[in-house]
Amino acid sequence: MIIHKNSRRSSLLLLSGATLMLAAATPGAAAGAPGTSLSPAGHRLSAVAAGPVVFEAGPIVVTCAASSSLPGTGSRNTIPDGPAAANPAGPVTVRIAPPTFKDCTTDAPGLRVAVETNETAGPWQVQLQYGTPGTARLSIPSGGFVLKTSGLLSCTATAAPNGPAGAEGRWRQEGGSAVLLERAPIPVKLEGSFFCATSVTSATITAEYTVRNTTDPARPITVGPSLPG
């Protein structure tokens, strides 16, 4: 497969963000991390990509025009109510609906792309941590993200193939609440035809997700310090 480097560079420049490093998906905080409060407690939230989402896995570069995680049935995408909305020892965790990815393409002609997400092996979560800057850790359950190409080349990339995995990025509050990711590494397993790059074990994601309050749109979602008492 031929991927045009200039096209890939142009796709990545469409998004802004902060440098992201792979992190274990185990909830918790680094030693000495401040407490966190998330508000408004009990309100529901949406996370919608502000622009295209770009995946790179070896020679495969995929751009999805739209992505979102929206409230549905149950407690997904809901800020914890009561005391659970604050954690004096670290981040506050929110379970989210598996994000959807639509209108995905590659810059290699003759390839079709489909992305599926699931929570068969566990929940998708985001852990929000107060700080300067604040951080946002995205937890992906084992096998919770599957990208498939078809046409001239049939390959399957499965994220978090051996257990839950996470990526940690920056929480932006000024100018609108958002989670920022830039080339965040995610462990993957590639399978498929002879020309699939099966030796690749890591992919990256670049995205900016705008986070909005769907219960009361006039009130922003905010991450602050956990105050005593």
Side-chain angles (χ1 to χ4, degrees), residues 5 33 55-56 65 73 76-77 84 104 108 118 121 126 132 139 148 176 178 194 196 216:
K5 293 183 179 179
F55 300 98
E56 294 181 82
T73 59
R76 296 175 186 83
N77 294 64
C104 300
N118 68 78
V126 61
T132 308
S139 292
K148 296 182 179 181
F194 177 78
C196 293
D216 183 355

Side-chain angles (χ1 to χ4, degrees), residues 55 62 64 98-101 104 113-120 124 140-149 155-161 186-191:
F55 300 98
V62 173
C64 295
T100 59
F101 298 90
C104 300
V113 182
V115 175
E116 298 178 355
T117 57
N118 68 78
E119 50 187 351
T120 303
W124 285 73
I140 302 173
S142 180
F145 174 99
V146 181
L147 184 154
K148 296 182 179 181
T149 65
C155 298
T156 299
T158 302
I186 305 168
V188 297
K189 181 178 182 180
L190 262 67
E191 302 172 286

